[in-house]
């Protein structure tokens, strides 16, 4: 297996080789200057090493990804003979080539790092190699969109400046849309600057949102409608409404004629009074 050579000064001789699978008898022969020789031997069995096992957990084929957002690349890598940290790997994209990966698998074999991908459809391949040189490949296909855009949203009812009585049911309506995801993947919330979070309401497939409440406090409220997508990009719209106490009766003061006045039959009599109301104008 190795060329004849003298041992080291301490009598140790070494020979490094790669053996084939199966049973082998290894012999060492030593010969002195006079030609006398001795032989030692051992019997060994060489077993084949296994290739690494690889499972990609992220990204996924059905995931939503954007070119301006980091993408999680994660996998579980294992090997029968070698520790996960001793395995080498590469991530490669059909569009972007070799990706800048430099993580180390933990003792459980989990490999995680964040990488950008360009816009387009990528075939991503993870190749893992063990210390014996055996490799395993796993591939997935994923679509990466352009830069993420914020949702659009607008309050359509009631009108800004509307007035309601305390305890009255108020219906709020709004519309929303997003260029990348469907409306059922958006998070919505109605809020009052005085009463806090009010609720989400009901969303239909067209992006129309309706929310009703009768519990707003007596106050002037800034009502905000906000929408957030899966990357926490958001939009909002707001209106001002007033919630008042139950209406009071008008105030009436008679000025003329005064109580007990006596007038001649046929004379013109002036009738005069003042009217006042907390909720309505005098002409109403």
């Amino acid at each position: 297996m190795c060329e004849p050579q003298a041992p080291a000064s301490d009598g140790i001789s070494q020979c490094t080789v790669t053996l084939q699978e199966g049973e082998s008898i290894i012999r060492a022969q030593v010969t002195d200057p006079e030609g006398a020789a001795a032989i030692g031997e051992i019997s060994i069995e060489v077993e084949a090493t296994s290739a690494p096992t690889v499972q990609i957990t992220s990204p996924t084929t059905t995931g939503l990804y954007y070119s301006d957002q980091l993408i999680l690349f994660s996998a579980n890598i294992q090997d029968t003979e070698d520790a996960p940290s001793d395995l080498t790997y590469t991530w490669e994209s059909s569009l972007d080539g070799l990706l800048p990966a430099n993580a180390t698998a933990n003792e459980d074999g989990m490999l995680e790092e964040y990488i950008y991908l360009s816009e387009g459809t990528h075939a991503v391949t993870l190749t893992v190699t063990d210390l014996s040189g055996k490799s395993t490949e796993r591939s997935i296909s994923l679509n990466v969109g352009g830069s993420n855009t914020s949702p659009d949203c607008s309050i359509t009812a009631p009108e800004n400046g509307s007035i309601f009585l305390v305890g009255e049911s108020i219906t709020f309506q709004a519309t929303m849309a997003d260029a990348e995801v469907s409306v059922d993947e958006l998070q919505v919330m109605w809020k009052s600057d005085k009463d806090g979070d009010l609720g989400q309401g009901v969303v239909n497939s067209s992006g129309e949102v309706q929310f009703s409440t009768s519990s707003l406090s007596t106050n002037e409220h800034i009502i905000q409608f906000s929408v957030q997508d899966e990357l926490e990009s958001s939009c909002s719209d707001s209106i001002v409404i007033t919630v008042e106490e139950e209406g009071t009766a008008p105030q009436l003061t008679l000025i003329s004629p005064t109580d007990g006045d006596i007038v001649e039959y046929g004379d013109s009599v002036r009738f005069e009074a003042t009217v006042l109301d907390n909720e309505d104008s005098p002409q109403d």
Side-chain angles (χ1 to χ4, degrees), residues 236-257:
S236 64
D237 192 20
S238 61
I239 59 171
V240 176
I241 66 168
T242 300
V243 178
E244 297 180 341
E245 293 286 351
E246 192 72 34
T248 55
Q251 301 174 33
L252 171 64
T253 303
L254 293 174
I255 298 174
S256 175

Side-chain angles (χ1 to χ4, degrees), residues 257-276:
T258 59
D259 188 29
D261 279 357
I262 298 176
V263 295
E264 293 287 339
Y265 175 76
D267 287 351
S268 176
V269 180
R270 178 180 177 82
F271 289 85
E272 183 180 354
T274 60
V275 291
L276 179 66

Side-chain angles (χ1 to χ4, degrees), residues 173-194:
Q173 295 178 336
T175 60
M176 64 179 187
D178 189 272
E180 289 84 28
V181 298
S182 60
V183 292
D184 57 0
E185 296 180 76
L186 300 174
Q187 300 295 319
V188 303
M189 179 58 68
W190 294 90
K191 295 181 181 180
S192 161
D193 66 324
K194 302 300 190 306

Side-chain angles (χ1 to χ4, degrees), residues 30-53:
V30 57
T31 305
D32 65 16
E34 287 75 27
I39 295 176
E41 68 178 32
I42 59 172
S43 176
I44 65 172
E45 182 176 356
V46 179
E47 295 181 350
T49 60
S50 300
T53 59

Side-chain angles (χ1 to χ4, degrees), residues 149-154 175-179 183 186 207 225 227 234-236:
T149 58
S150 299
D152 293 322
C153 55
S154 177
T175 60
M176 64 179 187
D178 189 272
V183 292
L186 300 174
F225 173 65
V227 180
S234 62
C235 67
S236 64

